[in-house]
Amino acid sequence: MKRPRVLSGVQPTGKMHVGNYLGALKNFVELQNSGKYECFFMIADYHSITEDYDPETKPQQIIDLALDFLALGLDPKKSIIFLQSQVPQHLELAWIFSTLTPVSELVRMTQYKDKAARQEKNINAGLFTYPVLQAVDILIYRPQFVPVGQDQLQHLELANDIAKKFNRRFGETFQAIKPLLTPAARVMGLLDPAKKMSKSEPEGCLFLTDEPEELAKKLKKAVTDTAPTGPEKTPGVANLFDLLDHFGTKDHIERFHQLYKNRTIKYAELKGLLADRVADHFAEFRQRRKALAGKPETIKQILAAGSNAAKKIAIRTLAEVKQKIGLAL
Ligand code: ADP
Ligand code: TRP
């Protein structure tokens, strides 16, 4: 029996944080290690150049993301780990898909609207057609499942629409994909818990590479309340409890909920415990990442091998598509 296929992608745009981890990467590792799926994990470098960036730092951002993938446990022996730009077939199919995508659908995309508002001086066509390329990233490998955060659902719907349209016009070719959502909701910023934890607010953001002292320092500054306000936690306190749910033991969780209920909780104690737990959770990660960082050539080889494997499949899908749309002589 062939295992169902899973595919996802991440843009190489900076350091990975606890939000990215709980929202996406943790799920990738679990899916891979369950042994139930054939997994593809892609570094979406072509997507990442739709945002303002520095060509000097991009190669390191790509290597950094590969290091994060590998140090977290994604394993090139179990999964195909590849670099989008090393499989140029994505771009050929993106052109074909763009001819099936109504502009009116692209205009509706929330991520496009958000990013366009953020980078008013650089509203480029790539930012606009970004979801078309994402549809290709997925459909070209014909996976059944795509693990993503909530914010990506609209893009997956578009991919399904494109697949349906293609099938109707040129014959059954692509099957529908299903999102796999992580139960982890949104991790909020430590200093401004009204906003999601993000690398754009580094002071309130726990990076996976942060050393224990750094984690403790940031958690110490996390906003809470002066005293428990009642059964409804303030957003800052609720966020710390969410982190406790993920990184604490059952005993820790029960104890701090009880202390909150009794209104005898000391937030300094909760923050100290969280700092220790998060530091411990990523201790092995930090070590593995440092060891791998000294071997950039190995990382490049892993990506090249993964991209080669991915390319074989991409070439086949593209050939079938060109045949069906009448461009294969
Ligand atoms: P950032 O805001 O730090 O730039 P990205 O927008 O690059 O993060 O997010 C990459 C992926 O990680 C997204 O698809 C999203 O689902 C997930 N993610 C990012 N921040 C969080 C968060 N605070 N909580 C949960 N998931 C997140
Ligand atoms: N757009 C995704 C993000 O911002 C990254 C991505 C690119 C992706 N191609 C993909 C995700 C294919 C899933 C499948 O997080």
Side-chain angles (χ1 to χ4, degrees):
M1 257 289 279
K2 253 188 86 169
R3 292 176 298 171
R5 198 171 271 180
V6 160
L7 177 135
S8 197
V10 180
Q11 295 189 69
T13 48
K15 291 199 283 181
M16 173 107 26
H17 53 77
V18 168
N20 305 140
Y21 172 71
L22 293 177
L25 262 294
K26 184 169 180 255
N27 203 17
F28 293 4
V29 179
E30 285 169 3
L31 287 164
Q32 171 196 270
N33 291 343
S34 76
K36 290 189 199 141
Y37 305 97
E38 190 189 355
C39 295
F40 289 66
F41 299 110
M42 182 189 78
I43 297 180
D45 57 343
Y46 270 142
H47 275 120
S48 75
I49 63 170
T50 59
E51 286 179 49
D52 297 327
Y53 79 103
D54 175 2
E56 296 286 325
T57 52
K58 189 53 76 183
Q60 191 55 45
Q61 288 184 326
I62 295 169
I63 297 286
D64 276 339
L65 182 54
L67 287 171
D68 290 333
F69 274 6
L70 298 169
L72 281 171
L74 293 187
D75 179 350
K77 290 200 203 74
K78 296 181 187 159
S79 297
I80 294 183
I81 300 169
F82 71 102
L83 186 58
Q84 187 182 35
S85 67
Q86 288 181 350
V87 189
Q89 287 72 20
H90 286 226
L91 300 186
E92 281 191 70
L93 188 54
W95 177 258
I96 298 168
F97 278 4
S98 76
T99 66
L100 297 169
T101 311
V103 167
S104 59
E105 287 296 312
L106 294 177
V107 174
R108 287 178 52 237
M109 295 288 137
T110 7
Q111 194 172 63
Y112 168 69
K113 289 191 271 188
D114 287 350
K115 287 190 181 173
R118 251 193 283 148
Q119 54 186 66
E120 270 177 3
K121 296 206 174 69
N122 183 13
I123 306 180
N124 59 82
L127 194 64
F128 187 61
T129 57
Y130 178 117
V132 177
L133 182 57
Q134 185 167 348
V136 171
D137 297 338
I138 301 167
L139 296 173
I140 203 165
Y141 300 104
R142 308 173 201 248
Q144 281 81 4
F145 300 107
V146 185
V148 283
Q150 196 84 32
D151 59 327
Q152 294 298 314
L153 290 182
Q154 208 184 17
H155 291 169
L156 299 201
E157 274 166 34
L158 181 73
N160 274 332
D161 288 347
I162 293 174
K164 261 192 241 146
K165 195 152 180 191
F166 188 98
N167 292 347
R168 244 184 284 129
R169 185 143 155 64
F170 304 111
E172 200 59 30
T173 309
F174 298 108
Q175 63 183 105
I177 46 152
K178 289 199 192 70
L180 288 181
L181 284 177
T182 18
R186 267 149 59 95
V187 184
M188 308 312 280
L190 300 177
L191 297 183
D192 181 0
K195 289 203 217 133
K196 72 165 193 158
M197 181 176 282
S198 166
K199 60 179 174 286
S200 54
E201 300 284 346
E203 295 297 308
C205 181
L206 302 173
F207 293 105
L208 305 197
T209 47
D210 282 347
E211 294 294 336
E213 311 77 60
E214 186 71 25
L215 294 169
K217 207 167 93 191
K218 287 181 183 170
L219 276 158
K220 213 173 254 172
K221 292 197 192 130
V223 300
T224 52
D225 52 28
T226 37
T229 46
E232 276 301 318
K233 298 182 177 74
T234 61
V237 173
N239 192 40
L240 294 182
F241 271 94
D242 282 345
L243 289 172
L244 184 68
D245 280 342
H246 289 287
F247 295 105
T249 63
K250 209 164 146 263
D251 282 355
H252 294 141
I253 297 168
E254 274 171 21
R255 192 161 75 83
F256 278 97
H257 275 287
Q258 196 56 45
L259 289 170
Y260 183 86
K261 237 163 83 196
N262 300 343
R263 304 195 173 200
T264 50
I265 189 165
K266 292 202 177 63
Y267 291 122
E269 200 192 328
L270 173 59
K271 291 171 174 183
L273 173 81
L274 278 175
D276 289 344
R277 298 292 299 177
V278 175
D280 283 356
H281 189 92
F282 296 110
E284 199 187 317
F285 164 81
R286 289 192 304 275
Q287 232 174 21
R288 291 173 62 172
R289 198 181 188 286
K290 277 180 206 151
L292 284 166
K295 300 186 255 178
E297 286 313 311
T298 310
I299 305 298
K300 288 182 198 169
Q301 278 164 15
I302 290 172
L303 292 180
S307 300
N308 251 328
K311 199 189 278 180
K312 292 205 176 92
I313 301 169
I315 286 173
R316 255 186 275 137
T317 307
L318 185 64
E320 183 184 334
V321 165
K322 286 180 80 174
Q323 182 74 41
K324 286 187 167 157
I325 66 171
L327 293 189
L329 284 189

